[in-house]
Amino acid sequence: MKLKNSLLNQYLLIILLAIMIMPISFPLISMVFYVPFSSTEELNHLNSTDMESMWHKEAKSLEGASDQQIKEKLEKLKVKYPEANMFWVDESGNARDRLPKELTLQQNWSPEYTIDFMKKNRGDEADPFTVVALIGKGRDEGFMVLQLPRSELRSNGERMQDKYSYLMTLLVFIILGTFLFVSWIFFYRIRKRLLRLRTAMAEPADHGIPEPIAIGKKDEIGQLEMSFNKMIQQLEHSRKREQEEEILRRQLIANLSHDLRTPLTTIRGHAFSLKKEPLSEKGLESLQLIDTKVNYLGQLIENLLSYTLLTAGKYPFNPVKTDMVRLVRTSFAGWYPVFENAGFHIELDLPDQTFYWEIDSQWMERILDNFYQNVHRHAREGQYISVKINPDLQQITIADRGPGMNGESTGKGAGIGLTIVSLMLKEMKLDWETRTGTNGTAIIIKKR
């Protein structure tokens, strides 16, 4: 198998690409967001140290300046730093030239208030960022104050990170989602192909064998599909061979049955003629044994022929609505003298209430005859037969007190008669249950 046709190799390739892409994705995302702003970073970034130095420098440059000059200087600085708040306090402690004008300030600044103001706005965590610078070189010209929001001191990259951090997280999840989606597609296609194969196995065609399926790829599942198609071919070949053998077997049984009937008829005829001749007692016993065995052999041949016709679906079957109590009573009436002469204790329970089954009456009579014959032949030592009908449960029970179906019997055969019974009951949608032991056997015929 080529490497590209292996499902394992394909999925390992997906894992490898994911391992390679994940470490690269974070630098790429950072570049997407921060590179466009790198050219303006130095121009737009306000550094707290530079701002403090600038403010002290401007304050010193105003040494000896008039009030108007101080005002003009603050207005120029306000234009350059529009986000900043600016004002100055003269030597008398009065707040002057507030920028912007709506800035709320205490008008009179005492030394105590000035110290408290500087104390509250001191430190790296204080917001806004505040710088207080003495005007000129002395202490008698007042001081000027600059207040700038801390956010204005952050770099563009930091501000962009705050603004678009959710987009970075989203991109990371998109990359992970893409990997999961590709994995899902990979396994979904595998599952779809396996379900198609399972459906082909679970839904055979009319002839009982699944149809071959089309082979899509030459991977592991494709090899499984090829093996499945080969198995189908072998099953079809075996089925054809089995059908041919079945036809030959039926023809052989039919021919043997026909060929054996003629000599059996001849033997039966000569045995009947010998009965009219004067024979010794031993000769009469031998003649009776011959006649019994010929009848038994004739019955076996009839069973073989019936079995062949049943399995071929050519045995006449004419189901009609039948009174079951009446049928059982009529069927057992022919066997009553046989069991009576054999010394059987006969127990009949055939109620007046009846029920009806859609069956072939000739088939049912043959089934009952087979059970009666088995009792007469194999359970004679029990000297008992019981035939009961339960109309409420719609059941027919035939019981004896023989050695059981697992016991020894001189007339025990291959069981083809019971096989014919099973086939006939199945065709008539009936079922039968056998309860056997050393104390006897009970056979129950009921609806399936």
Side-chain angles (χ1 to χ4, degrees), residues 94-114:
N94 295 319
R96 306 280 297 275
D97 301 324
R98 308 174 188 184
L99 296 176
K101 293 181 180 181
E102 60 272 14
L103 181 64
T104 302
L105 290 174
Q106 182 168 324
Q107 182 62 35
N108 297 316
W109 286 54
S110 62
E112 293 81 5
Y113 179 80
T114 302

Side-chain angles (χ1 to χ4, degrees), residues 355-385:
F355 59 93
Y356 295 86
W357 281 348
E358 193 82 13
I359 61 170
D360 187 315
S361 58
Q362 293 184 357
W363 282 29
M364 181 56 71
E365 288 178 359
R366 177 164 183 174
I367 291 170
L368 295 173
D369 287 344
N370 186 283
F371 289 142
Y372 298 151
Q373 187 179 58
N374 287 340
V375 173
H376 182 265
R377 181 181 298 169
H378 306 299
R380 183 173 297 184
E381 64 184 54
Q383 298 289 296
Y384 173 84
I385 183 170

